[in-house]
Amino acid sequence: LIESQEYELKNEEANCLNMIGILENNLGNQNNAINYYNRALEIYLEVNNQSGIANQYNNLGSIYGLKGEKELAFDNYYKAKILYKILDDKEGLSICYNNLATIYDLKGEYDKALYNFNKSLLLAESMGNMEGVASTLGNMGLFYMRQSKMEKSLEYRVKSLEIYEKLQNERA
Protein backbone atom coordinates (compact mmCIF):
# COMPACT_ATOMS: atom_id res chain seq x y z
CA LEU A 1 0.00 0.00 0.00
CA ILE A 2 2.76 2.44 0.92
CA GLU A 3 4.60 1.70 -2.34
CA SER A 4 1.34 2.23 -4.24
CA GLN A 5 0.76 5.57 -2.53
CA GLU A 6 4.33 6.66 -3.21
CA TYR A 7 3.92 5.64 -6.87
CA GLU A 8 0.70 7.67 -7.15
CA LEU A 9 2.30 10.70 -5.51
CA LYS A 10 5.30 10.49 -7.83
CA ASN A 11 3.00 10.28 -10.85
CA GLU A 12 1.01 13.28 -9.63
CA GLU A 13 4.22 15.22 -9.08
CA ALA A 14 5.32 14.40 -12.64
CA ASN A 15 1.87 15.36 -13.97
CA CYS A 16 2.16 18.73 -12.20
CA LEU A 17 5.63 19.31 -13.59
CA ASN A 18 4.35 18.46 -17.06
CA MET A 19 1.46 20.93 -16.75
CA ILE A 20 3.81 23.67 -15.57
CA GLY A 21 5.99 22.87 -18.59
CA ILE A 22 2.98 23.27 -20.87
CA LEU A 23 2.13 26.62 -19.24
CA GLU A 24 5.74 27.81 -19.51
CA ASN A 25 5.71 26.86 -23.18
CA ASN A 26 2.44 28.73 -23.72
CA LEU A 27 4.02 31.77 -22.07
CA GLY A 28 6.95 31.53 -24.50
CA ASN A 29 9.42 30.38 -21.86
CA GLN A 30 10.82 27.45 -23.80
CA ASN A 31 13.91 26.88 -21.66
CA ASN A 32 11.79 26.76 -18.50
CA ALA A 33 9.41 24.35 -20.24
CA ILE A 34 12.31 22.07 -21.15
CA ASN A 35 13.43 22.10 -17.52
CA TYR A 36 9.97 21.09 -16.25
CA TYR A 37 9.52 18.46 -18.96
CA ASN A 38 12.90 16.93 -18.09
CA ARG A 39 12.05 16.88 -14.39
CA ALA A 40 8.75 15.15 -15.18
CA LEU A 41 10.57 12.71 -17.46
CA GLU A 42 12.98 11.77 -14.67
CA ILE A 43 10.08 10.87 -12.38
CA TYR A 44 8.18 8.97 -15.06
CA LEU A 45 11.37 6.98 -15.71
CA GLU A 46 11.78 6.33 -11.97
CA VAL A 47 8.23 4.93 -11.63
CA ASN A 48 8.31 3.31 -15.08
CA ASN A 49 5.22 5.16 -16.36
CA GLN A 50 5.65 4.37 -20.06
CA SER A 51 2.79 6.59 -21.21
CA GLY A 52 4.18 9.53 -19.24
CA ILE A 53 7.64 8.89 -20.66
CA ALA A 54 6.30 8.83 -24.23
CA ASN A 55 4.34 12.05 -23.69
CA GLN A 56 7.39 13.80 -22.24
CA TYR A 57 9.53 12.81 -25.21
CA ASN A 58 6.82 14.15 -27.51
CA ASN A 59 6.60 17.41 -25.52
CA LEU A 60 10.37 17.80 -25.60
CA GLY A 61 10.35 17.16 -29.34
CA SER A 62 7.81 19.93 -29.81
CA ILE A 63 9.85 22.44 -27.80
CA TYR A 64 13.08 21.59 -29.61
CA GLY A 65 11.23 21.87 -32.91
CA LEU A 66 10.02 25.36 -31.96
CA LYS A 67 13.59 26.30 -31.08
CA GLY A 68 14.80 25.09 -34.49
CA GLU A 69 16.82 22.25 -32.96
CA LYS A 70 15.70 19.68 -35.52
CA GLU A 71 17.98 16.83 -34.42
CA LEU A 72 16.93 17.07 -30.77
CA ALA A 73 13.31 17.31 -31.87
CA PHE A 74 13.71 14.27 -34.09
CA ASP A 75 15.46 12.22 -31.39
CA ASN A 76 12.71 12.90 -28.87
CA TYR A 77 9.88 12.27 -31.35
CA TYR A 78 11.52 9.01 -32.38
CA LYS A 79 11.76 7.82 -28.75
CA ALA A 80 8.10 8.74 -28.27
CA LYS A 81 7.14 6.85 -31.43
CA ILE A 82 8.79 3.65 -30.21
CA LEU A 83 6.97 3.84 -26.87
CA TYR A 84 3.61 4.70 -28.45
CA LYS A 85 4.00 1.62 -30.66
CA ILE A 86 4.76 -0.60 -27.68
CA LEU A 87 1.80 0.86 -25.78
CA ASP A 88 -0.45 0.53 -28.85
CA ASP A 89 -1.38 4.19 -28.30
CA LYS A 90 -2.79 5.03 -31.71
CA GLU A 91 -3.60 8.64 -30.88
CA GLY A 92 -0.11 9.32 -29.54
CA LEU A 93 1.38 7.52 -32.52
CA SER A 94 -0.68 9.54 -34.99
CA ILE A 95 0.45 12.80 -33.38
CA CYS A 96 4.03 11.57 -33.34
CA TYR A 97 4.00 10.62 -37.03
CA ASN A 98 2.64 14.08 -37.83
CA ASN A 99 5.42 15.68 -35.76
CA LEU A 100 8.12 13.49 -37.31
CA ALA A 101 6.82 14.35 -40.77
CA THR A 102 7.20 18.05 -40.03
CA ILE A 103 10.81 17.54 -38.93
CA TYR A 104 11.59 15.43 -42.01
CA ASP A 105 10.08 18.21 -44.13
CA LEU A 106 12.28 20.84 -42.47
CA LYS A 107 15.32 18.60 -42.99
CA GLY A 108 14.49 18.31 -46.70
CA GLU A 109 13.72 14.59 -46.47
CA TYR A 110 10.46 14.88 -48.39
CA ASP A 111 9.77 11.20 -49.06
CA LYS A 112 10.07 10.42 -45.36
CA ALA A 113 7.92 13.43 -44.53
CA LEU A 114 5.15 12.31 -46.85
CA TYR A 115 5.37 8.73 -45.57
CA ASN A 116 4.93 9.92 -41.98
CA PHE A 117 2.12 12.34 -42.85
CA ASN A 118 0.25 9.49 -44.52
CA LYS A 119 0.80 7.19 -41.51
CA SER A 120 -0.55 9.92 -39.24
CA LEU A 121 -3.54 10.51 -41.49
CA LEU A 122 -4.43 6.81 -41.73
CA LEU A 123 -4.26 6.36 -37.97
CA ALA A 124 -6.34 9.47 -37.26
CA GLU A 125 -8.95 8.40 -39.82
CA SER A 126 -9.08 4.84 -38.44
CA MET A 127 -9.87 6.22 -34.97
CA GLY A 128 -12.38 8.79 -36.24
CA ASN A 129 -10.14 11.51 -34.78
CA MET A 130 -11.22 14.36 -37.03
CA GLU A 131 -9.08 16.94 -35.22
CA GLY A 132 -6.08 14.73 -35.92
CA VAL A 133 -7.14 14.39 -39.55
CA ALA A 134 -7.54 18.17 -39.88
CA SER A 135 -4.19 18.84 -38.22
CA THR A 136 -2.36 16.41 -40.49
CA LEU A 137 -4.08 17.73 -43.62
CA GLY A 138 -3.13 21.27 -42.60
CA ASN A 139 0.49 20.28 -42.10
CA MET A 140 0.47 18.47 -45.45
CA GLY A 141 -0.76 21.72 -46.98
CA LEU A 142 2.24 23.54 -45.51
CA PHE A 143 4.49 20.72 -46.75
CA TYR A 144 3.28 21.21 -50.33
CA MET A 145 3.44 25.00 -50.04
CA ARG A 146 7.14 24.82 -49.07
CA GLN A 147 7.68 22.81 -52.24
CA SER A 148 5.86 25.47 -54.29
CA LYS A 149 3.04 23.03 -55.11
CA MET A 150 0.38 25.65 -54.50
CA GLU A 151 -2.61 23.83 -56.00
CA LYS A 152 -1.94 20.75 -53.92
CA SER A 153 -1.26 22.91 -50.86
CA LEU A 154 -4.57 24.70 -51.31
CA GLU A 155 -6.41 21.39 -51.68
CA TYR A 156 -5.09 20.10 -48.34
CA ARG A 157 -5.54 23.40 -46.50
CA VAL A 158 -9.16 23.67 -47.70
CA LYS A 159 -9.90 20.09 -46.57
CA SER A 160 -8.38 20.90 -43.18
CA LEU A 161 -10.43 24.09 -42.86
CA GLU A 162 -13.66 22.29 -43.80
CA ILE A 163 -13.11 19.71 -41.07
CA TYR A 164 -12.31 22.36 -38.45
CA GLU A 165 -15.43 24.34 -39.44
CA LYS A 166 -17.58 21.20 -39.24
CA LEU A 167 -16.16 20.37 -35.80
CA GLN A 168 -16.81 23.95 -34.66
CA ASN A 169 -20.44 23.75 -35.82
CA GLU A 170 -20.94 20.38 -34.10
CA ARG A 171 -19.71 21.84 -30.80
CA ALA A 172 -21.87 24.95 -31.01
Side-chain angles (χ1 to χ4, degrees), residues 55-109:
N55 291 334
Q56 289 317 114
Y57 284 138
N58 198 50
N59 288 345
L60 285 163
S62 294
I63 293 283
Y64 288 124
L66 289 171
K67 291 180 65 146
E69 297 180 37
K70 293 179 275 200
E71 290 307 317
L72 281 172
F74 179 84
D75 290 345
N76 280 280
Y77 286 144
Y78 193 80
K79 289 175 188 175
K81 180 184 87 165
I82 290 167
L83 288 173
Y84 286 136
K85 277 186 173 183
I86 291 168
L87 295 167
D88 196 32
D89 180 342
K90 290 179 177 52
E91 184 174 355
L93 197 52
S94 176
I95 292 166
C96 206
Y97 280 127
N98 194 1
N99 292 339
L100 280 166
T102 301
I103 297 299
Y104 279 124
D105 178 20
L106 295 173
K107 290 170 62 173
E109 298 180 42

Side-chain angles (χ1 to χ4, degrees), residues 4-171:
S4 175
Q5 288 173 337
E6 185 177 323
Y7 173 83
E8 286 303 317
L9 287 174
K10 288 282 190 184
N11 266 315
E12 286 306 315
E13 180 183 359
N15 291 341
C16 287
L17 290 166
N18 177 54
M19 290 307 299
I20 294 171
I22 290 169
L23 291 169
E24 289 286 1
N25 182 37
N26 290 342
L27 291 169
N29 302 326
Q30 295 168 340
N31 290 332
N32 287 346
I34 289 169
N35 179 44
Y36 283 105
Y37 288 152
N38 277 319
R39 287 174 58 194
L41 177 61
E42 287 175 23
I43 294 170
Y44 287 134
L45 287 165
E46 180 184 330
V47 297
N48 198 29
N49 180 332
Q50 296 296 300
S51 180
I53 295 167
N55 291 334
Q56 289 317 114
Y57 284 138
N58 198 50
N59 288 345
L60 285 163
S62 294
I63 293 283
Y64 288 124
L66 289 171
K67 291 180 65 146
E69 297 180 37
K70 293 179 275 200
E71 290 307 317
L72 281 172
F74 179 84
D75 290 345
N76 280 280
Y77 286 144
Y78 193 80
K79 289 175 188 175
K81 180 184 87 165
I82 290 167
L83 288 173
Y84 286 136
K85 277 186 173 183
I86 291 168
L87 295 167
D88 196 32
D89 180 342
K90 290 179 177 52
E91 184 174 355
L93 197 52
S94 176
I95 292 166
C96 206
Y97 280 127
N98 194 1
N99 292 339
L100 280 166
T102 301
I103 297 299
Y104 279 124
D105 178 20
L106 295 173
K107 290 170 62 173
E109 298 180 42
Y110 303 122
D111 290 342
K112 290 179 181 178
L114 197 53
Y115 173 82
N116 280 273
F117 278 133
N118 284 319
K119 295 274 283 186
S120 174
L121 191 58
L122 287 171
L123 277 171
E125 288 172 339
S126 75
M127 293 181 299
N129 178 353
M130 297 314 292
E131 282 186 52
V133 170
S135 173
T136 301
L137 290 171
N139 285 339
M140 290 175 86
L142 290 173
F143 167 78
Y144 286 116
M145 185 177 72
R146 282 193 275 274
Q147 294 183 36
S148 299
K149 297 179 180 178
M150 296 308 168
E151 290 296 320
K152 200 152 184 124
S153 174
L154 182 62
E155 174 188 338
Y156 281 89
R157 296 298 285 184
V158 167
K159 285 180 187 177
S160 175
L161 176 62
E162 288 170 350
I163 293 169
Y164 280 127
E165 286 176 338
K166 183 179 179 197
L167 290 171
Q168 190 75 12
N169 289 336
E170 288 174 359
R171 292 181 181 149

